[in-house]
Amino acid sequence: MFPKGTKRKFSDGEEVPDENPADIKVMSSYNLQRQSLLDMSLIKLQLCHMLVEPNLCRSVLIANTVRQIQEEMTQDGSWTIMAEALNSNQSPSDCLVATEILCRPSPKDQDEEKPFSVISYEGCDSVSCHSEEVVDDSLCEPSSEAPTYLPISIGTWEKEDQKENSEEESEEDSKPEEQVFGTFEIKNPTATPDPALDELFSDVDTSYYDLDTMLTGMQSSPKMGPYDLLDSLSSHSQSISSNSGCRPDLNELDHIMEIIVGS
Amino acid sequence: MLLVEDGLGICVVHLSPLSLSLSLSLSLSGAGGGGNDVQWCFSQVKGAIDDDVAEADIISTVEFNHSGELLATGDKGGRVVIFQQEPENKSQPQCRGEYNVYSTFQSHEPEFDYLKSLEIEEKINKIRWLPQKNAAQFLLSTNDKTIKLWKISERDKRPEGYNLKEEDGRYRDPTTVTTLRVPVFRPMDLMVEASPRRVFANAHTYHINSISVNSDYETYLSADDLRVNLWHLEITDRSFNIVDIKPANMEELTEVITAAEFHPNQCNTFVYSSSKGTIRLCDMRESALCDKHSKLFEEPEDPSNRSFFSEIISSISDVKFSHNGRYMMTRDYLSVKIWDLNMESRPVETYQVHEYLRSKLCSLYENDCIFDKFECCWNGNDNVVMTGSYNNFFRMFDRGQKKDVTLEASRESSKPRAVLKPRKVSAGGKRKKDEISVDSLDFNKKILHTAWHPQENIIAVATTNNLYIFQDKLN
């Protein structure tokens, strides 16, 4: 299952290229497991809304698990993948291949499979964009030394919006990482802005989402935040209003499940 | 080494700096358990035999009263069933009395919260008995939102011989009355009536998970996910909030209250447990709002066992004080821990309930079993503890003898006075005869609720919809 509590070291540039495939394999298995755990948790949180009244204890425990995975992904996942991309002599296209091994099968057509793309990493740079630039206070512990981080969703589809988001920022812990991400982006200019994607998410506001209302299934005012991944799963199509985090359309959910299960 | 005397006897307490465990020697007087090996026998089973379980019949709580004569169960359909032990047969002193249905009543009905457009389940979350003060019995039963005080009384006589009424209740024409007589009480078939005496409503925004009667027998507490309220048994229109862990910003919520209980003899002390594996002991004399705990019991995490599920499995599902009030027991997903109230840094004893599940946590998370809330209980003299597991297994840990046993509640071993055979789960590859492999455990058959008679070695174990009663073998 999961490796027992050992931190993976930041690999430095002297690594022999031969070792990389093996490393990638081990890591990808862990990443896949972690990813599937994250997806499972998010589905569970969303399904909470459909119950009589969601069990607060269960929701809190699942939310804490999601938070923990995201923390680790920001600290470990992005670093490791990024380090490889930086240190490898692979061309950008090779890098994309490596990405395929690491990530879930990326959608060919982003337009059709937006919800999926929201969940997955879209490439090395998407991981980098998983940047702490947008502070999501609801996910942060009060201690300011903890690196600020984000739900993957915002990371993946808001890479174009980074600049806007950073304006909304209050705290920045990410100076060293910014530099790294900066160079990384130059190296991997695969982030072609997708106008459709932009337009779709242009109205997303990364302010808080009312956890109370989400967990108690109440209809709330149009706000999105840390659990916007859940919303985006349910709201990417117009059949569901983004306000009704509480009652996602069952057809919608089926569709999403199909994608995740990969059928 | 200390000599400690309490209400139950004199104990020799050994403190070993290496193990930091307390071992009680000299078994205590009276109540069963301890001493020789106890053999458990099937006594009775209550409930439908079908495999097809009706949702409303799922047992959600089991509780003996203070004398052990009455055994109450609550179910998902909002009903309470009370069993009464038959008085012991003088001619057969070897057999303890059987438990038969004494009273059944509908305690809670489903409700609809119009404001939130959500149903309020009628499932009985907890039942707690009040100590008996007169001929009637009283119990508190609660669902997610409302607590009710029920009076259960017997009627075995009725008046006969009214002058103005016929036997069937119709009024007589006064002009036909020619003589007067004094009505007399005549015996009738026993009738047990349950009536709601108090309804304690509208004090909880979140789901009530615990109720606990104070040793002053005047007040009780009720706890939901974020708050603990103190009530007076006579007053229903107000309660005091004594613990509130709701953060100003609900998005910062990372911890909830999972259980709470009053100390058995200190009426100012109570504890509440959390989803992060901590227990807080509070003293109500310190301040009106007990947000600041007097003691915080928490065991440091074992870094070698760390995983994404560490927090979930550390969440405490039940907390129970020992009868003597010196210890408390907590149940988390994989273990039972005994804490000395004087030591906050770690439990004095830890018992693994089903360690073989540790490698299966991912699947258990997927099928939600990891969120199952198991309860635990002490025996009458606090030297054996019991808790449930999967596959209709339940476990007992003898603290004095350092022995544990796994037993099964099943129809197969339900012959009268049949001795229960200890069960074993094999975690590894090699499975011995009679062992069950982890993969063939039925995770739908879970024993969440168990209760131990306060004086005797009689236990009540609830499977999904059946109640099993086991007794120790009397020679």
Side-chain angles (χ1 to χ4, degrees):
Chain A
M1 235 187 56
F2 293 102
K4 294 208 165 168
T6 47
K7 280 281 193 202
R8 291 183 305 286
K9 301 277 188 237
F10 178 80
S11 53
D12 49 18
E14 283 84 64
E15 262 188 20
V16 187
D18 286 347
E19 285 177 2
N20 283 347
D23 281 348
I24 289 173
K25 208 171 160 190
V26 165
M27 234 168 23
S28 75
S29 146
Y30 176 80
N31 282 357
L32 278 171
Q33 286 174 334
R34 186 172 59 183
Q35 182 68 53
S36 78
L37 181 62
L38 182 64
D39 295 338
M40 207 195 306
S41 307
L42 291 168
I43 295 285
K44 280 181 189 297
L45 279 175
Q46 186 169 42
L47 287 175
C48 278
H49 295 174
M50 298 158 85
L51 297 177
V52 167
E53 193 172 350
N55 183 332
L56 189 63
C57 181
R58 181 175 170 273
S59 305
V60 166
L61 288 173
I62 298 173
N64 288 351
T65 308
V66 167
R67 207 167 286 154
Q68 204 187 334
I69 295 175
Q70 289 177 341
E71 260 183 44
E72 197 185 281
M73 275 175 150
T74 322
Q75 288 172 12
D76 292 351
S78 54
W79 276 96
T80 318
I81 294 167
M82 183 183 59
E84 272 174 38
L86 279 175
N87 294 318
S88 74
N89 295 324
Q90 293 166 335
S91 63
S93 55
D94 287 343
C95 181
L96 285 175
V97 169
T99 303
E100 281 225 63
I101 298 169
L102 289 170
C103 308
R104 298 175 86 85
S106 17
K108 283 163 190 156
D109 185 353
Q110 282 190 341
D111 288 346
E112 273 172 20
E113 297 181 33
K114 285 184 183 69
F116 177 65
S117 68
V118 163
I119 310 167
S120 72
Y121 293 105
E122 274 180 77
C124 304
D125 51 341
S126 70
V127 175
S128 74
C129 297
H130 205 354
S131 81
E132 325 54 29
E133 280 167 55
V134 180
V135 164
D136 207 326
D137 286 349
S138 64
L139 288 179
C140 295
E141 298 297 324
S143 65
S144 55
E145 60 197 349
T148 57
Y149 54 88
L150 216 69
I152 320 169
S153 59
I154 295 184
T156 52
W157 44 256
E158 279 198 77
K159 36 194 204 289
E160 291 78 29
D161 298 340
Q162 269 177 25
K163 283 175 191 142
E164 297 174 37
N165 293 336
S166 53
E167 279 164 2
E168 293 176 302
E169 278 307 280
S170 35
E171 280 129 358
E172 291 286 348
D173 264 348
S174 52
K175 296 293 185 282
E177 282 155 325
E178 244 179 327
Q179 291 164 6
V180 177
F181 291 143
T183 53
F184 190 70
E185 272 197 59
I186 293 166
K187 249 195 137 161
N188 294 289
T190 49
T192 50
D194 183 340
L197 207 58
D198 265 352
E199 192 192 292
L200 182 73
F201 296 116
S202 60
D203 61 347
V204 170
D205 157 32
T206 55
S207 58
Y208 295 152
Y209 182 79
D210 190 8
L211 181 64
D212 193 10
T213 55
M214 181 200 87
L215 294 180
T216 56
M218 275 171 78
Q219 302 284 336
S220 69
S221 56
K223 290 191 284 183
M224 287 172 81
Y227 292 91
D228 51 7
L229 174 61
L230 301 175
D231 277 351
S232 61
L233 285 176
S234 61
S235 66
H236 85 293
S237 92
Q238 282 167 2
S239 57
I240 315 260
S241 75
S242 59
N243 299 348
S244 69
C246 324
R247 304 275 186 267
D249 186 25
L250 283 172
N251 289 336
E252 197 52 37
L253 198 57
D254 279 344
H255 177 57
I256 294 158
M257 281 308 298
E258 270 174 45
I259 294 164
I260 289 169
V261 169
S263 58
Chain B
M1 186 165 104
L2 304 172
L3 268 175
V4 176
E5 180 182 65
D6 64 9
L8 293 165
I10 298 179
C11 317
V12 176
V13 173
H14 299 270
L15 288 169
S16 147
L18 289 174
S19 64
L20 278 177
S21 69
L22 292 168
S23 56
L24 295 173
S25 51
L26 284 186
S27 128
L28 311 169
S29 61
N36 304 326
D37 266 352
V38 175
Q39 281 194 302
W40 290 96
C41 309
F42 170 80
S43 173
Q44 295 171 272
V45 58
K46 307 283 184 192
I49 303 179
D50 291 348
D51 280 338
D52 202 13
V53 180
E55 185 101 354
D57 293 340
I58 295 175
I59 298 173
S60 50
T61 184
V62 181
E63 187 82 357
F64 278 100
N65 77 336
H66 292 259
S67 65
E69 186 205 353
L70 298 175
L71 175 60
T73 62
D75 64 23
K76 213 166 170 206
R79 290 164 303 194
V80 171
V81 180
I82 302 176
F83 301 93
Q84 183 188 42
Q85 191 179 28
E86 297 302 322
E88 275 181 28
N89 197 333
K90 292 282 180 346
S91 63
Q92 279 190 305
Q94 314 298 4
C95 292
R96 289 202 190 86
E98 275 197 347
Y99 283 85
N100 295 320
V101 178
Y102 178 66
S103 172
T104 305
F105 56 93
Q106 186 74 33
S107 170
H108 287 72
E109 298 276 0
E111 284 171 52
F112 196 75
D113 181 339
Y114 293 98
L115 210 56
K116 292 189 192 173
S117 284
L118 292 169
E119 255 204 29
I120 298 171
E121 281 193 302
E122 66 275 30
K123 172 168 76 90
I124 308 295
N125 292 335
K126 284 278 149 53
I127 289 174
R128 289 286 181 263
W129 290 92
L130 266 58
Q132 194 174 11
K133 284 198 269 193
N134 52 35
Q137 301 278 357
F138 287 88
L139 61 76
L140 284 170
S141 72
T142 185
N143 70 347
D144 285 339
K145 300 284 183 179
T146 306
I147 306 133
K148 293 187 185 180
L149 176 69
W150 287 87
K151 175 179 178 182
I152 297 109
S153 47
E154 290 184 4
R155 191 195 290 267
D156 62 355
K157 301 183 224 344
R158 66 188 169 103
E160 273 181 29
Y162 282 109
N163 293 296
L164 296 175
K165 276 199 286 191
E166 301 284 3
E167 292 304 323
D168 60 8
R170 276 179 309 139
Y171 280 95
R172 287 166 77 177
D173 180 356
T175 55
T176 62
V177 177
T178 52
T179 60
L180 288 178
R181 56 186 174 163
V182 177
V184 291
F185 276 100
R186 295 212 188 283
M188 61 180 254
D189 288 339
L190 179 66
M191 202 164 73
V192 180
E193 297 168 327
S195 58
R197 304 303 281 178
R198 306 268 186 278
V199 177
F200 304 92
N202 301 322
H204 286 280
T205 311
Y206 302 96
H207 292 178
I208 297 174
N209 52 53
S210 314
I211 46 175
S212 175
V213 183
N214 204 347
S215 50
D216 63 9
Y217 304 148
E218 282 186 357
T219 56
Y220 75 95
L221 63 73
S222 58
D224 66 27
D225 295 316
L226 298 177
R227 298 189 176 100
V228 180
N229 291 336
L230 181 71
W231 301 83
H232 190 284
L233 284 165
E234 300 291 328
I235 300 170
T236 58
D237 62 354
R238 83 193 80 149
S239 75
F240 287 103
N241 175 243
I242 53 178
V243 173
D244 188 343
I245 65 167
K246 184 177 180 199
N249 189 349
M250 273 298 272
E251 291 146 56
E252 286 162 14
L253 179 66
T254 54
E255 191 173 9
V256 299
I257 295 172
T258 52
E261 193 177 59
F262 264 119
H263 190 278
N265 30 55
Q266 291 167 19
C267 59
N268 53 286
T269 305
F270 68 94
V271 293
Y272 67 94
S273 60
S274 83
S275 57
K276 285 200 171 169
T278 62
I279 309 101
R280 288 171 174 81
L281 186 143
C282 301
D283 186 335
M284 296 195 293
R285 296 170 301 188
E286 279 192 38
S287 68
L289 189 58
C290 298
D291 278 359
K292 198 160 100 54
H293 53 263
S294 298
K295 293 195 186 191
L296 174 65
F297 297 83
E298 187 173 15
E299 183 171 25
E301 200 185 352
D302 177 5
S304 64
N305 268 336
R306 178 139 185 77
S307 74
F308 285 118
F309 306 108
S310 295
E311 187 182 315
I312 300 179
I313 61 168
S314 73
S315 173
I316 291 172
S317 51
D318 194 18
V319 65
K320 292 263 169 51
F321 278 103
S322 62
H323 291 92
N324 59 20
R326 294 171 53 198
Y327 300 96
M328 67 178 173
M329 164 167 55
T330 57
R331 174 70 155 100
D332 51 69
Y333 191 62
L334 297 179
S335 67
V336 160
K337 294 179 181 172
I338 313 279
W339 302 78
D340 183 322
L341 294 185
N342 296 316
M343 188 164 79
E344 301 166 60
S345 53
R346 62 175 66 82
V348 289
E349 293 154 40
T350 301
Y351 301 104
Q352 299 302 331
V353 181
H354 35 220
E355 183 68 12
Y356 46 79
L357 295 183
R358 194 179 286 274
S359 54
K360 309 276 175 198
L361 291 178
C362 199
S363 328
L364 293 166
Y365 179 70
E366 199 175 357
N367 63 16
D368 268 5
C369 282
I370 208 175
F371 300 107
D372 285 336
K373 290 190 186 308
F374 290 96
E375 291 173 11
C376 53
C377 60
W378 296 85
N379 77 336
N381 63 4
D382 298 335
N383 64 352
V384 186
V385 296
M386 169 166 67
T387 188
S389 177
Y390 294 105
N391 210 70
N392 282 348
F393 287 172
F394 57 100
R395 304 262 282 137
M396 286 188 196
F397 302 95
D398 189 324
R399 303 172 60 212
Q401 298 191 358
K402 299 292 172 209
K403 283 194 205 174
D404 62 87
V405 67
T406 305
L407 299 171
E408 184 179 357
S410 71
R411 293 271 174 182
E412 283 77 46
S413 46
S414 301
K415 297 176 195 55
R417 291 190 284 286
V419 175
L420 293 180
K421 206 173 80 155
R423 313 286 293 169
K424 197 138 169 28
V425 178
S426 69
K430 292 217 155 66
R431 189 174 72 89
K432 295 191 193 115
K433 190 183 152 206
D434 284 349
E435 280 186 3
I436 296 194
S437 79
V438 185
D439 300 311
S440 40
L441 291 175
D442 188 342
F443 289 94
N444 290 319
K445 292 187 177 167
K446 46 193 97 170
I447 290 179
L448 303 173
H449 312 286
T450 58
W452 204 309
H453 189 289
Q455 276 118 34
E456 307 284 335
N457 268 349
I458 303 174
I459 54 175
V461 170
T463 58
T464 310
N465 65 331
N466 287 146
L467 182 71
Y468 286 80
I469 298 172
F470 301 108
Q471 300 182 357
D472 64 347
K473 188 169 172 166
L474 296 170
N475 295 317

